Amino acid sequence: MPDTLQTNRPDLPPEIGRRRTFAIISHPDAGKTTLTEKFLLYGGAIQMAGQVRAKGEARRTRSDFMAMEKDRGISVSASAMSFDFTRGDDAYRFNLVDTPGHSDFSEDTYRTLTAVDAAIMVIDGAKGVESQTQKLFEVCRLRDLPILTFCNKMDRESRDTFEIIDEIQENLAIDVTPASWPIGRGRDFVGCYDLLHDRLELMDRADRNKVAETVAIAGLDDPRLAEHVPAELLDTLREELEMARELLPAFDRDAFLEGSLTPIWFGSAINSFGVQELMAGIAEYGPPPQPQRAEPRQVAPEEGKVAGFVFKVQANMDPKHRDRVAFVRLASGHFERGMKLTHVRSKKQMAISNPVLFLAADRELAEEGWAGDIIGIPNHGQLRIGDALTEGEALKFTGIPSFAPELLQSVRAGDPMKAKHLDKALDQFAEEGAAKVFKPAIGSGHIVGVVGALQFEVLASRIELEYGLPVRFEPSQFTSARWVHGPDAAVDKMIEKNKQHIAHDNDGDPVFLTRLQWDIDRIERDYPDVRLSATKEMMVG
């Protein structure tokens, strides 16, 4: 996406114009997974929504398919889901990318946000802006993504509405405009007043899967309000709204699209309340597919030729088939099944004969796709994160980062005879972007680097589950890794003299493993032509 969202662009073909591609970001436990469920329920994609930790297979959250996610009730891999949402006479195609909620998986989330045009930020009405929300928000800010905010759990004891809005404005440095206003809080919460359409939305506590009742109101003086809202709550509502209109900015779509203003909806995802209004907000105000940054030129969605990039690789989505699926964001054109596309990195043509569309863990063959859609391409390791697929043009999509790991451990197979299997498993996870795998220049074994400690647990459980191979992670003498850049002669000289610190990543690029900051300072002092970098652009060409 470009630095500023382009609103004065040509009209998009109707199929592309009706697409909304977005991610949901939140702190763990703010209710993101429940909200995702309700989106699928209202999109007609599932018949019954179930709480994450509810008993029974039928009630597992549909977007969490890894065994560990089901056990812990957290999302650790980003799934993509497509479904339709009808509003009046308009039918929209929503492409929802679910991001890991746990902070240990922030790199996966960062890459996911390169593939969307907008984000929904979910915050907990009692806890407000939490640390992980702040981190993820910074990523959206870097990309100037438009953000819609959903304040969840209003049916529980929550904070004062103005306090929540103030906290968002202060902590995230973004203007907030109320799209709806809560009436009562906790046990007294009866619903919301829809400020954008002058409507009263009433919550039904009896049926969690029932759509909220809507009452059309002619402004706050309409006598019908008193029929539905207790007198003292109505007085408070009128008072608060008068203050809100004076103190808070009105909704301005241009400011929202530029990423400087966020509309906020209040609700309770578990009670299906406020969710439909939020979906209507995405449909009505959210951006259609936007141009994507690439070298040597930007790619516009309305272009006739197909181009797309891989932002995620998920291995063993079906453990029976050992398959790997590359998630591709289509940046332009109209894709049809069976098309031959050029894999820019290898310059080879690939016939895309079995592309898939995802509905959580279910998938179906994608007969076609348009700019903005996310399709899965099953492959045997040819496709990596950052790869471009085009109709022949040598494009490289930019801005898909790889971060230096913050934690390093060495890994050993429980059975030394199965070391080869471990090599294969680690290669696969490195290509998936789930971990960095470094092969030291001296000695045997591998060093695995991750951003958060929980990833070691996830890797160990997946290697055992998917490869039948128990492994153990052990502390490493190294604490961080840096990619090595510079003129070949200078790099070779540095590597030759520092072999005990050198490893190679799974692309074969040299990496300098450090114990202390002193190691980095020493290299920078002794080898001025060599640059050590904490990020590597995953733009493969």
Side-chain angles (χ1 to χ4, degrees):
M1 212 174 92
D3 292 327
T4 52
L5 205 107
Q6 297 187 10
T7 45
N8 55 349
R9 295 188 38 252
D11 282 348
L12 292 170
E15 267 305 327
I16 296 175
R18 75 184 190 95
R19 277 159 166 73
R20 300 285 181 271
T21 305
F22 59 94
I24 300 183
I25 60 171
S26 80
H27 193 86
D29 285 340
K32 175 173 67 68
T33 308
T34 309
L35 184 64
T36 303
E37 278 267 279
K38 296 300 163 110
F39 272 28
L40 295 177
L41 183 73
Y42 286 144
I46 54 174
Q47 305 308 304
M48 173 176 81
Q51 211 184 337
V52 189
R53 293 187 183 83
K55 291 186 177 68
E57 266 319 294
R59 295 176 70 84
R60 293 287 188 206
T61 296
R62 293 294 288 265
S63 62
D64 292 347
F65 61 79
M66 257 189 226
M68 186 167 182
E69 298 185 48
K70 290 173 180 172
D71 295 344
R72 291 194 176 212
I74 56 168
S75 304
V76 296
S77 63
S79 322
M81 290 156 272
S82 299
F83 55 97
D84 289 317
F85 175 68
T86 307
R87 178 163 170 69
D89 298 333
D90 299 316
Y92 293 88
R93 164 55 63 99
F94 280 5
N95 295 311
L96 163 59
V97 186
D98 189 23
T99 60
H102 201 285
S103 59
D104 284 5
F105 298 87
S106 50
E107 182 172 352
D108 200 11
T109 302
Y110 197 119
R111 286 199 292 263
T112 298
L113 292 174
T114 61
V116 298
D117 301 304
I120 291 172
M121 176 168 71
V122 184
I123 61 173
D124 181 320
K127 294 176 185 161
V129 177
E130 295 172 89
S131 58
Q132 179 63 4
T133 318
Q134 199 145 357
K135 269 192 202 165
L136 294 170
F137 178 82
E138 291 306 325
V139 176
C140 296
R141 176 52 59 81
L142 286 172
R143 298 187 54 75
D144 289 319
L145 281 178
I147 292 175
L148 304 96
T149 302
F150 183 70
C151 186
N152 194 18
K153 304 188 183 181
M154 293 306 291
D155 57 319
R156 301 188 190 173
E157 284 316 313
S158 54
R159 284 155 61 181
D160 175 74
T161 311
F162 284 106
E163 206 181 298
I164 292 168
I165 289 174
D166 278 353
E167 189 175 290
I168 296 171
Q169 295 194 138
E170 266 173 51
N171 288 10
L172 306 179
I174 189 169
D175 289 331
V176 179
T177 180
S180 71
W181 198 267
I183 304 169
R185 288 200 298 277
R187 251 178 270 166
D188 298 332
F189 180 66
V190 294
C192 283
Y193 189 78
D194 179 343
L195 287 157
L196 298 174
H197 304 98
D198 264 334
R199 282 190 308 226
L200 185 64
E201 311 287 348
L202 299 169
M203 185 171 89
D204 181 350
R205 285 176 188 263
D207 184 352
R208 287 181 161 179
N209 289 339
K210 191 178 162 197
V211 179
E213 188 192 339
T214 299
V215 181
I217 297 289
L220 283 170
D221 299 325
D222 192 317
R224 271 177 308 171
L225 268 170
E227 293 167 25
H228 301 283
V229 181
E232 102 205 35
L233 287 181
L234 188 52
D235 289 346
T236 309
L237 172 71
R238 288 182 172 135
E239 207 175 293
E240 288 182 345
L241 279 182
E242 198 176 316
M243 278 169 69
R245 283 180 171 146
E246 274 178 39
L247 299 171
L248 299 169
F251 180 69
D252 172 346
R253 186 163 186 245
D254 287 346
F256 158 64
L257 291 176
E258 283 162 12
S260 61
L261 173 84
T262 178
I264 184 168
W265 281 262
F266 293 85
S268 162
I270 199 150
N271 287 301
S272 305
F273 181 76
V275 177
Q276 238 187 351
E277 290 67 44
L278 176 63
M279 292 173 84
I282 300 162
E284 215 170 314
Y285 310 114
Q290 293 296 303
Q292 299 290 327
R293 287 193 282 242
E295 295 289 340
R297 62 179 191 84
Q298 188 170 264
V299 179
E302 65 274 11
E303 289 174 24
K305 290 194 169 174
V306 172
F309 61 92
V310 177
F311 67 93
K312 179 183 172 63
V313 174
Q314 179 73 51
N316 296 343
M317 284 185 79
D318 182 348
K320 291 193 287 289
H321 293 110
R322 284 254 175 278
D323 65 343
R324 230 174 266 202
V325 174
F327 286 76
V328 174
R329 155 77 194 231
L330 294 175
S332 65
H334 177 207
F335 166 83
E336 290 177 287
R337 183 158 82 89
M339 261 182 135
K340 281 197 165 81
L341 294 177
T342 300
H343 178 223
V344 174
R345 177 166 53 87
S346 67
K347 302 183 177 58
K348 288 184 180 157
Q349 286 233 312
M350 283 180 84
I352 315 292
S353 45
N354 296 310
V356 285
L357 270 178
F358 295 93
L359 171 65
D362 300 337
R363 30 170 145 169
E364 55 184 61
L365 272 180
E367 292 301 332
E368 61 170 2
W370 295 82
D373 282 342
I374 288 163
I375 58 169
I377 300 180
N379 67 100
H380 294 291
Q382 300 97 311
L383 292 174
R384 287 196 223 153
I385 292 168
D387 276 356
L389 291 168
T390 69
E391 285 193 58
E393 191 178 349
L395 288 169
K396 292 178 184 177
F397 288 89
T398 59
I400 303 169
S402 179
F403 298 104
E406 292 168 23
L407 300 166
L408 298 177
Q409 290 196 359
S410 54
V411 59
R412 302 252 176 274
D415 178 353
M417 304 300 287
K418 291 193 169 171
K420 278 257 170 34
H421 293 289
L422 179 59
D423 288 358
K424 194 175 161 196
L426 291 174
D427 276 355
Q428 170 204 299
F429 291 123
E431 282 174 17
E432 195 182 298
K436 304 287 178 296
V437 176
F438 304 123
K439 187 92 177 114
I442 295 174
S444 60
H446 294 85
I447 289 176
V448 175
V450 297
V451 175
L454 182 61
Q455 281 177 291
F456 286 125
E457 277 184 58
V458 171
L459 283 175
S461 98
R462 284 188 64 189
I463 292 170
E464 183 160 0
L465 201 73
E466 295 166 20
Y467 287 86
L469 186 62
V471 294
R472 63 177 188 275
F473 285 98
E474 297 165 346
S476 158
Q477 58 168 320
F478 299 111
T479 56
S480 72
R482 294 288 181 270
W483 281 279
V484 181
H485 306 280
D488 290 350
V491 168
D492 291 346
K493 185 179 165 193
M494 189 280 272
I495 287 176
E496 193 51 45
K497 288 275 196 307
N498 293 276
K499 276 253 167 73
Q500 72 281 19
H501 282 274
I502 299 297
H504 289 86
D505 68 10
N506 68 309
D507 294 324
D509 291 332
V511 173
F512 182 74
L513 301 174
T514 75
R515 284 184 290 246
L516 307 160
Q517 179 62 35
W518 183 83
D519 291 327
I520 296 173
D521 296 343
R522 179 177 61 81
I523 295 297
E524 287 173 350
R525 184 189 69 228
D526 295 351
Y527 303 93
D529 294 341
V530 171
R531 192 166 56 82
L532 298 179
S533 163
T535 56
K536 169 179 159 181
E537 182 99 356
M538 298 188 78
M539 180 175 80
V540 214

